[in-house]
Amino acid sequence: MLYREFFEDAVSIMRTNLYPTCQEPNLSLGTGPHCDPNALTILHQDLVGGLDVFVDNKWHKVRPVLGALVINIGDVFAALSNGIYRSCLHRAAVNSHKERRSLVFFMCPRADKVVKPAEELVRKSEGGTRKFPDFTWSDLLEFTQNHYRVNETTLENFTDWFLSADRSNFKPTHFKTSH
Ligand SMILES: O=C(O)CCC(=O)C(=O)O
Ligand SMILES: [Fe+2]
């Protein structure tokens, strides 16, 4: 597959986040735990800090580095790699002394492009079989916007929804409660 064609003429999303100071930061979510559903996320944060990533059952701080960008893998990338890569659970907290800003570019495929891993990656992945069905970015967007909050089990629950006969009656069966 030509990745240039996959992303060409796509509509990507840019978001600016402002986290005001909060006297009770522990009672506030900021941006709550989630995985990004798009392909790749390019994030610029100021030097205040607040971004955490969930790895090995623990939250780790992603300390700001002047001039560095944070690149997050999203669910479309995970599906393109047939699950060799997974999207990462992350969150952003507020604090009581300094407001924080971040600028985030969500790189998305063209809405009608079929998300399908290269054969070579299917062979290299665990079990050597396809983990997810062929789908389009617009299918995944519909699921995440109307049926399900994005987390580490989005792709598994999406697969069930996508292949089910009655999509309007969806109840997730994959859960992770580790955080
Ligand atoms: O503000 C941040 O550092 C993270 C924001 C984020 O994860 C998002 O907008 O998807
Ligand atoms: Fe995010």
Side-chain angles (χ1 to χ4, degrees):
M1 180 185 21
L2 285 174
Y3 290 105
R4 175 183 289 278
E5 274 176 25
F6 192 66
F7 290 103
E8 216 162 45
D9 300 325
V11 177
S12 284
I13 303 158
M14 183 91 122
R15 183 191 293 153
T16 54
N17 296 311
L18 169 67
Y19 300 89
T21 55
C22 172
Q23 291 324 303
E24 303 259 23
N26 294 334
L27 299 180
S28 161
L29 270 181
T31 297
H34 68 281
C35 294
D36 296 340
N38 49 293
L40 279 177
T41 302
I42 303 171
L43 184 143
H44 173 73
Q45 56 175 337
D46 63 18
L47 295 177
V48 173
L51 177 62
D52 298 328
V53 63
F54 197 72
V55 181
D56 294 336
N57 273 331
K58 269 194 289 192
W59 287 106
H60 299 265
K61 293 196 180 315
V62 181
R63 291 194 199 289
V65 175
L66 189 66
L69 300 168
V70 176
I71 313 294
N72 272 340
I73 284 172
D75 286 323
V76 165
F77 193 102
L80 282 176
S81 76
N82 203 38
I84 295 175
Y85 290 92
R86 294 301 311 218
S87 56
C88 71
L89 191 72
H90 56 285
R91 68 180 184 190
V94 294
N95 68 70
S96 58
H97 53 279
K98 214 163 191 188
E99 73 176 26
R100 171 174 183 265
R101 286 182 172 78
S102 66
L103 179 63
V104 200
F105 180 73
F106 300 96
M107 188 178 175
C108 306
R110 218 178 78 179
D112 60 346
K113 289 284 178 192
V114 177
V115 179
K116 185 185 174 121
E119 278 305 318
E120 195 189 336
L121 293 178
V122 175
R123 276 198 302 279
K124 282 186 183 158
S125 62
E126 201 189 315
T129 53
R130 287 283 303 273
K131 302 285 184 298
F132 313 105
D134 286 0
F135 64 89
T136 64
W137 169 232
S138 86
D139 296 324
L140 184 59
L141 253 194
E142 188 196 334
F143 180 66
T144 56
Q145 291 187 344
N146 300 325
H147 302 279
Y148 193 71
R149 179 171 160 76
V150 279
N151 66 16
E152 315 103 298
T153 55
T154 297
L155 279 178
E156 282 73 19
N157 283 311
F158 166 74
T159 299
D160 290 349
W161 170 82
F162 190 65
L163 300 177
S164 66
D166 180 9
R167 292 185 179 174
S168 60
N169 254 333
F170 175 72
K171 302 248 177 337
T173 55
H174 300 270
F175 300 101
K176 275 204 179 165
T177 52
S178 45
H179 51 279

